[in-house]
Amino acid sequence: MSGLEHRYEVRSRQERYRGRIFDVVTEEVTMPGGGTGVRDVVRHVGAVAVVALDDAGQVVLIRQYRHPVGRHLWELPAGLMDVSGEELPAAALRELAEEADLTAGRVDVLVDLHSSPGFTNEVVRVFLARDIADVPADERHERHDEEADLQVVRIDLDEAVAMVLAGEITNASAVAGLLAAARARDTGWSTVRRADAPLPR
């Protein structure tokens, strides 16, 4: 890479919406050449997702209704980073327990992604969970709303990758996580990072 990158500075900011999960702001930003441009930005709390892999090489997938796209999608157990002070690995384990009734003895980082950087700052960290076991029946989370309709299945990791490539799995964190898990497995897990690795800046 050569040359200096332009420094994009925010000249003004107007809040359009404030919610529990995200805020929407309009920002005036300096552009190369001296002008400015206006950008609408969704500021998001962030999320975690989990590729839970059992000893047989099967991955846990959930099928959940997503209203913005109006249909059920195959996804990974996942959720928001919306608990104050909660570390990301703990959030991943919480979501794994709540959505799939599973615990994990080992957690590593597979991949980080900006889900749609053209309009949102959302970062999703996808973890790899291994040494998985069932949450005892009397300790399981009671699911509500769309989660009450969750379907949980286990399929071979290579079959899940084939579903990605066939367009049957389109959720961004699931696509990234499944492909990263297959690559990591094929390299003897040499590419995984520690569970407490810093998020990208």
Side-chain angles (χ1 to χ4, degrees):
M1 219 165 36
S2 61
L4 294 175
E5 291 184 333
H6 173 74
R7 186 173 174 187
Y8 293 84
E9 297 179 349
V10 176
R11 290 283 180 85
S12 66
R13 176 180 292 118
Q14 182 176 1
E15 187 174 272
R16 304 289 185 180
Y17 169 80
R18 179 176 291 276
R20 184 181 69 83
I21 298 170
F22 62 84
D23 304 329
V24 181
V25 298
T26 299
E27 296 180 338
E28 182 184 12
V29 185
T30 60
M31 294 291 159
T36 62
V38 175
R39 299 290 181 267
D40 292 327
V41 180
V42 174
R43 300 205 172 280
H44 193 279
V45 297
V48 293
V50 187
V51 174
L53 201 61
D54 66 19
D55 292 341
Q58 292 189 312
V59 64
V60 175
L61 294 180
I62 63 174
R63 190 161 173 83
Q64 182 172 358
Y65 178 75
R66 293 298 190 179
H67 187 69
V69 296
R71 61 190 179 95
H72 287 76
L73 296 179
W74 286 111
E75 302 184 348
L76 301 173
L80 300 170
M81 297 189 290
D82 60 351
V83 176
S84 180
E86 185 177 44
E87 298 291 332
L88 299 185
L93 289 171
R94 174 175 53 80
E95 292 296 343
L96 185 62
E98 289 180 2
E99 295 193 348
D101 299 321
L102 294 170
T103 63
R106 180 170 182 178
V107 177
D108 299 287
V109 174
L110 269 177
V111 68
D112 297 310
L113 62 142
H114 288 102
S115 58
S116 191
F119 76 92
T120 181
N121 68 341
E122 181 188 30
V123 175
V124 182
R125 166 151 284 183
V126 184
F127 289 92
L128 171 68
R130 288 176 284 178
D131 301 334
I132 61 175
D134 292 330
V135 172
D138 61 342
E139 297 176 19
R140 293 183 178 175
H141 177 73
E142 187 176 341
R143 300 186 184 107
H144 301 281
D145 301 324
E146 290 95 341
E147 289 187 353
D149 187 38
L150 282 184
Q151 178 185 353
V152 182
V153 301
R154 293 191 195 190
I155 67 169
D156 186 80
L157 178 57
D158 288 328
E159 183 181 344
V161 168
M163 291 172 68
V164 168
L165 299 178
E168 297 166 19
I169 296 176
T170 58
N171 172 280
S173 55
V175 169
L178 293 167
L179 294 177
R183 177 63 175 169
R185 178 203 59 194
D186 293 346
T187 58
W189 309 112
S190 63
T191 58
V192 299
R193 288 173 279 153
R194 290 173 31 156
D196 62 354
L199 279 171
R201 293 283 176 211

